[in-house]
Amino acid sequence: MAITLAEWAKSGKDVLERGVVKSWLMHYPFLAEFTVDGIEGFETEWLIEQELPTVGWRSLNEAFTESTGKIEKRRAGLGLLGGLIDIELRFLRGGNRIDQAAQQMSMKTRSMGYTLANTIVNGSLASDPETFDGVLRQVTELNARNSRQVINASGLDLTTFAARAANAQALVYYFNQAITRVEAYCGHKPKVALMSENMKLALVDALSSGGYFRTDKDSFDRDVDTWGGVQLRHAGWTSPTSAGGTEIITDTWDGDGYTSILFVLPGSDYTSLIQQGGLEKTHIGPTENGVWDRWKIEHAIGMRVKDNGSIVRLRGLDITA
């Protein structure tokens, strides 16, 4: 049965699993909206409707014109995210074994969260065949087929207070266009809009001046800025503890000096995470050289875009003065 990561953090099978997922959601709140679907094997397949058959009218004693729809088989696989934890055996003497193991496990699982969040956005099988294609890669490939997944704001100037005030209505138009695009495909609005930190600050400033946005509560009772029912979320950093870390979505993410906002409708029938068996932790024991005590933590996880219309990109936003 599919559950959201927020539900998983509250009802996981053990304390460690619940703690791990909750730590991910503390650093990357947008993950709370994603559902996680279990699959049996290491890959899943489904059918996508590419083109509906045509229909028409006929007279008596006449035949209909033959027409068939086009269906494409899609597939998504899992990557194995995790690592080994080695602790010096001498550190485990004197009764601090549990503290050492817990600290190292916490550090490793937080690192997994940073890696997972970045892969959900920027993952590319072409660059790293051991991962999975993230939202950027997926929306780019889908747009190459139908040219409706990407909306181009063509360098809309949001670099200064004056520019944001002057272009607030244009920004609202593009936002409405992206939301409507998802709603037209899926029958539901996107739940999350992901962006850089400066993009969010500029966005809130522009929308506040026009009275367009509000503050609601998320599933953990934290304040979250929304516009039109869509959560406005900073995508986060690749490693929040690293000095000068890289943002998952940067201010020049488009590659031409501009940045983008990703609109996502999470859900089992839309865009979801897939996994096999959940988070696994194994105590391997002392290594052969007798120096370390070893644990392994691993998660077989991937992403599936089941409905093409559940992801839309708004690009061409200028926030770099």
Side-chain angles (χ1 to χ4, degrees):
M1 184 180 73
I3 61 172
T4 65
L5 280 171
E7 294 168 336
W8 191 9
K10 298 174 182 178
S11 61
K13 62 187 178 183
D14 59 40
V15 174
L16 176 63
E17 186 174 272
R18 293 192 296 272
V20 167
V21 178
K22 191 170 184 178
S23 74
W24 294 353
L25 303 187
M26 293 300 293
H27 289 98
Y28 301 99
F30 74 87
L31 291 176
E33 302 300 327
F34 275 79
T35 57
V36 185
D37 295 288
I39 64 174
E40 293 298 323
F42 210 69
E43 189 176 74
T44 183
E45 294 183 343
W46 67 99
L47 299 177
I48 289 285
E49 295 179 355
Q50 292 294 93
E51 185 178 318
L52 292 175
T54 58
V55 298
W57 303 92
R58 73 176 182 88
S59 300
L60 291 173
N61 297 317
E62 288 185 351
F64 284 117
T65 301
E66 184 178 348
S67 173
T68 57
K70 294 181 180 179
I71 296 176
E72 178 187 359
K73 181 181 289 187
R74 300 287 301 278
R75 60 172 53 90
L78 304 175
L80 294 174
L81 175 64
L84 299 175
I85 303 170
D86 289 338
I87 301 175
E88 167 68 52
L89 285 169
R90 286 191 173 273
F91 291 161
L92 301 179
R93 297 173 184 173
N96 68 338
R97 175 189 179 94
I98 295 177
D99 291 342
Q100 284 282 341
Q103 182 178 11
Q104 291 292 334
M105 190 73 73
S106 174
M107 293 168 63
K108 181 70 75 172
T109 54
R110 289 204 312 274
S111 182
M112 288 173 65
Y114 307 151
T115 303
L116 176 61
N118 184 49
T119 305
I120 287 173
V121 176
N122 292 312
S124 171
L125 281 168
S127 300
D128 186 351
E130 296 178 350
T131 61
F132 56 85
D133 284 335
V135 175
L136 174 61
R137 182 79 176 182
Q138 300 257 13
V139 79
T140 301
E141 290 183 357
L142 291 172
N143 191 68
R145 301 181 184 189
N146 59 33
S147 71
R148 290 175 295 202
Q149 308 295 136
V150 177
I151 298 167
N152 196 341
S154 303
L156 184 68
D157 187 3
L158 302 171
T159 57
T160 64
F161 292 113
R164 291 192 284 274
N167 291 322
Q169 286 189 332
L171 181 60
V172 168
Y173 170 81
Y174 284 120
F175 245 72
N176 266 331
Q177 190 178 14
I179 292 172
T180 303
R181 190 72 54 89
V182 174
E183 191 173 20
Y185 274 123
C186 304
H188 300 279
K189 291 181 178 180
K191 288 186 177 181
V192 181
L194 301 176
M195 63 203 79
S196 72
E197 183 178 56
N198 286 330
M199 181 68 247
K200 185 184 175 185
L201 292 173
L203 180 64
V204 170
D205 180 51
L207 297 180
S208 298
S209 64
Y212 296 111
F213 96 110
R214 56 181 290 180
T215 300
D216 293 320
K217 296 288 186 180
D218 67 9
S219 52
F220 287 91
D221 203 37
R222 296 173 297 191
D223 289 340
V224 54
D225 296 325
T226 65
W227 184 82
V230 180
Q231 296 182 15
L232 311 179
R233 293 292 196 182
H234 176 218
W237 301 79
T238 54
S239 180
T241 58
S242 297
T246 302
E247 281 190 281
I248 291 176
I249 297 178
T250 67
D251 292 343
T252 55
W253 198 57
D254 292 356
D256 55 6
Y258 304 143
T259 191
S260 291
I261 300 174
L262 296 176
F263 294 78
V264 184
L265 174 59
S268 296
D269 294 326
Y270 307 109
T271 293
S272 67
L273 300 176
I274 52 176
Q275 68 174 1
Q276 183 192 65
L279 192 70
E280 298 179 0
K281 61 185 184 303
T282 305
H283 181 212
I284 298 172
T287 57
E288 291 185 3
N289 60 16
V291 174
W292 300 293
D293 197 17
R294 176 167 291 175
W295 279 261
K296 182 182 77 169
I297 186 163
E298 188 173 68
H299 196 182
I301 192 165
M303 193 177 76
R304 174 177 62 192
V305 179
K306 203 169 185 179
D307 190 317
N308 294 350
S310 60
I311 51 176
V312 166
R313 177 185 182 185
L314 171 58
R315 63 169 299 156
L317 299 164
D318 186 6
I319 59 169
T320 56

